């Protein structure tokens, strides 16, 4: 008995240890398996949603039959200013820098970006399924602006969109209908930051003038882009925001602003431009008015309105007439987006014939190995509507992702 019992206790203990080790392994395995199943199901749902969104936007990702491969009279961005052809992605990197440098040279250099700031909350309101913060930050050296930060209730990192307009209230649902991009995107799960030129819009100078309206350093439209770049850097610091998924959107004046911002600042992941007039086109009169002193035709005030009534620019001043005479057009800036996706939500200013300009960016994307990165929808009127806005929101949901 004594000899046998001396071994029984360790055997029992060993068996107990094996049992608990086995049970622990079982439960760990079960937990991991369950997590894999849930993760797989979630991934399948995301994939199905992605396919559904792609199906919805596919009709807008290529030109209609009449505009396939139609390049118009635009100078190809795939040729250096010297005339040499861009043949490889490495060539394109050099050409891209050449375009960016040339336009900054012509429009005037930016001040140093303001990257060491965060959005300062000055007021908070709960709305629908998101929280609205009134915020302020510096968008020009020595000058602050006020806007609205909308943060959905959903936990975790989220995609974000900066919206730009004459003032920040319209985009959060306090202005004309179908211009409430920030509000609608926030309800869909996007963090949104709405900003606008409220003060200068009120005094009818509309834009941003640095260092002063009497003597600017850069064309006002370029300074709007600079201000949006500063907004990007402030928004990217928000803990709810995935900084790799920040887009920008605007309508009309805001469409021009969003276009220049996303083209000139490559950290914007994608963008949507609602009927800004994506190329120079004086036949559209005051709608595609890049000759204005608050866009690309700056000259020191006082500003005369006499020549503007015709919608033509023979008497325009500043940079704009030089750009036209020397054969520059905005399709060169579009090309800077490649391979980042963008949508033209076209209305009366941007009809289907604009594909002639957009085909040049499609060609750049093809060289880089990408497709389906340029989109355009069309409506008869300048104003956005429910259908065009739903297309815009779907575009952001697909390319920025909201799962």
């Amino acid at each position: 008995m004594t000899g046998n019992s001396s071994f029984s206790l360790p055997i029992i203990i060993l068996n107990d240890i094996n049992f608990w080790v086995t049970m622990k392994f079982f439960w760990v395995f079960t937990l991991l398996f369950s997590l894999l199943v849930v993760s797989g199901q979630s991934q399948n749902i995301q994939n199905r949603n992605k396919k559904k969104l792609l199906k919805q936007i596919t009709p807008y990702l290529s030109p209609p039959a009449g505009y396939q491969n139609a390049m118009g009279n635009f100078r190809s961005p795939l040729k250096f200013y010297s005339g040499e052809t861009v043949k490889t992605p490495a060539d394109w990197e050099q050409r891209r820098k050449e375009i960016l440098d040339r336009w900054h040279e012509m429009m005037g250099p930016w001040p140093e970006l303001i990257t060491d700031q965060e959005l300062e909350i000055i007021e908070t309101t709960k709305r629908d399924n998101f929280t609205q913060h009134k915020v302020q930050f510096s968008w020009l050296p020595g000058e602050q602006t006020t806007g609205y930060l909308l943060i959905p209730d959903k936990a975790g990192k989220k995609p974000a969109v900066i919206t730009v307009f004459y003032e920040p209230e319209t985009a959060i649902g306090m202005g004309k209908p179908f211009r409430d991009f920030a509000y609608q995107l926030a309800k869909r799960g996007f963090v949104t930051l709405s900003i606008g030129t409220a003060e200068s819009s009120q005094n009818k100078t509309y834009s941003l003038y640095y260092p002063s309206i009497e003597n600017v350093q850069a064309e006002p439209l370029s300074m709007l882009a600079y201000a949006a770049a500063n907004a990007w850097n402030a928004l990217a610091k928000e803990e709810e925001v995935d900084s790799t998924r920040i887009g920008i959107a605007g309508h009309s004046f805001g469409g021009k602003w969003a276009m220049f911002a996303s083209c000139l600042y490559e950290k914007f992941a994608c963008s949507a431009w609602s009927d800004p007039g994506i190329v120079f086109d004086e036949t559209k009169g005051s709608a595609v008015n890049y000759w204005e002193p608050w866009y690309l035709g700056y000259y020191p005030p006082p500003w005369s309105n006499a020549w503007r009534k015709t919608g033509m620019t023979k008497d325009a001043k500043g940079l704009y007439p030089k750009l036209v005479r020397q054969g520059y057009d905005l399709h060169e800036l579009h090309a800077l987006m490649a391979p980042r996706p963008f949508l033209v939500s076209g209305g009366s200013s941007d009809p289907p014939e604009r594909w002639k300009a957009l085909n040049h960016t499609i060609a750049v994307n093809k060289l880089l190995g990408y497709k389906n990165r340029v989109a355009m929808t069309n409506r008869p009127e300048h104003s956005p509507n429910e259908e065009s806005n739903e297309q815009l929101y779907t575009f952001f949901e697909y390319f920025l992702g909201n799962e």
Side-chain angles (χ1 to χ4, degrees):
M1 287 291 293
T2 304
N4 290 335
S5 63
S6 64
F7 292 100
S8 60
L9 185 59
I11 291 173
I12 292 171
I13 293 173
L14 184 61
N15 286 338
D16 285 345
I17 292 173
N18 287 337
F19 172 77
W20 289 112
V21 168
T22 302
M23 290 301 295
K24 184 176 181 180
F25 175 79
F26 172 77
W27 287 114
V28 170
F29 175 80
T30 302
L31 178 61
L32 291 174
F33 181 76
S34 300
L35 290 173
L36 287 172
V37 170
V38 171
S39 177
Q41 290 174 341
S42 177
Q43 188 62 49
N44 287 337
I45 292 172
Q46 290 182 29
N47 290 340
R48 286 197 297 270
N49 288 344
K50 202 78 170 177
K51 288 179 181 178
K52 181 181 178 181
L53 291 170
L54 179 59
K55 184 177 180 180
Q56 289 176 299
I57 67 172
T58 292
Y60 321 122
L61 291 171
S62 58
Y67 296 101
Q68 293 280 349
N69 301 313
M71 311 304 277
N73 296 320
F74 300 98
R75 185 167 58 194
S76 174
L78 289 175
K79 286 187 178 295
F80 289 92
Y81 291 129
S82 66
E84 295 181 43
T85 300
V86 175
K87 297 179 180 179
T88 67
D91 288 346
W92 171 248
E93 285 303 308
Q94 295 180 41
R95 171 59 174 147
R96 186 185 189 284
K97 184 177 185 304
E98 181 183 55
I99 294 172
L100 188 61
D101 289 348
R102 178 67 63 87
W103 279 80
H104 273 307
E105 178 186 352
M106 294 188 299
M107 294 188 297
W110 283 1
E112 185 176 351
L113 288 171
I114 305 170
T115 59
D116 59 348
Q117 66 172 332
E118 297 180 2
L119 298 172
E120 179 185 349
I121 296 175
I122 55 180
E123 183 180 294
T124 297
T125 308
K126 187 70 177 72
R127 296 179 64 188
D128 299 323
N129 62 338
F130 61 86
T131 299
Q132 175 180 297
H133 301 290
K134 190 173 185 179
V135 297
Q136 62 183 15
F137 67 99
S138 294
W139 62 351
L140 297 181
E143 182 178 324
Q144 288 195 321
T145 191
T146 301
Y148 296 92
L149 175 68
L150 312 184
I151 302 179
D153 297 338
K154 184 178 178 181
K157 294 281 189 179
K158 292 170 275 289
V161 176
I162 295 172
T163 62
V164 291
F165 200 53
Y166 290 110
E167 31 65 35
E169 284 77 22
T170 291
I172 64 169
M174 299 171 63
K176 288 184 178 181
F178 304 122
R179 290 160 174 80
D180 54 347
F181 297 154
Y183 174 71
Q184 296 295 340
L185 285 166
K187 291 203 299 182
R188 287 165 168 79
F190 290 79
V191 175
T192 57
L193 174 62
S194 175
I195 60 175
T197 57
E199 183 177 343
S200 59
S201 294
Q202 188 174 7
N203 63 32
K204 300 188 183 305
T205 58
Y206 301 110
S207 202
L208 296 180
Y209 307 89
Y210 179 79
S212 71
I213 195 169
E214 291 80 18
N215 183 27
V216 305
Q217 174 178 309
E219 290 293 323
L221 187 50
S222 181
M223 289 309 298
L224 287 172
Y226 167 79
N230 290 326
W232 186 100
N233 280 282
L235 180 61
K237 289 184 171 64
E238 293 294 314
E239 62 180 0
E240 297 88 356
V241 172
D242 179 349
S243 63
T244 67
R245 296 186 291 160
I246 300 177
I248 186 169
H251 169 66
S252 193
F253 164 78
K256 291 177 173 67
W257 186 349
M259 177 170 63
F260 270 65
S262 55
C263 292
L264 296 176
Y265 195 59
E266 63 182 4
K267 288 188 177 182
F268 283 106
C270 68
S271 60
W273 318 327
S274 176
D275 208 39
I278 63 167
V279 295
F280 299 147
D281 185 352
E282 296 176 6
T283 67
K284 297 297 181 183
S286 61
V288 189
N289 52 341
Y290 288 97
W291 54 80
E292 300 282 14
W294 47 82
Y295 286 138
L296 296 174
Y298 172 82
Y299 63 94
W303 297 336
S304 169
N305 291 330
W307 59 270
R308 293 171 48 215
K309 293 178 181 178
T310 64
M312 303 301 286
T313 61
K314 59 184 179 65
D315 297 319
K317 301 179 182 180
L319 177 64
Y320 175 80
K322 297 177 183 178
L323 292 172
V324 173
R325 283 198 305 268
Q326 295 174 15
Y328 293 98
D329 213 321
L330 301 178
H331 70 296
E332 288 191 7
L333 296 186
H334 308 165
L336 299 178
M337 287 294 297
R340 295 171 296 147
F342 67 90
L343 165 72
V344 179
S345 180
S348 57
S349 297
D350 290 309
E353 68 186 60
R354 295 290 189 249
W355 278 108
K356 294 177 183 178
L358 297 177
N359 281 335
H360 288 278
T361 302
I362 291 176
V364 174
N365 277 307
K366 183 177 180 181
L367 175 73
L368 299 178
Y370 293 88
K371 61 181 181 179
N372 296 335
R373 295 301 178 103
V374 179
M376 181 162 70
T377 60
N378 295 101
R379 60 183 181 271
E381 300 83 17
H382 175 61
S383 294
N385 55 44
E386 184 175 4
E387 181 183 11
S388 66
N389 283 359
E390 191 60 38
Q391 293 162 342
L392 184 149
Y393 304 144
T394 303
F395 170 84
F396 277 126
E397 287 177 333
Y398 178 76
F399 281 108
L400 289 183
N402 191 29
E403 293 296 338

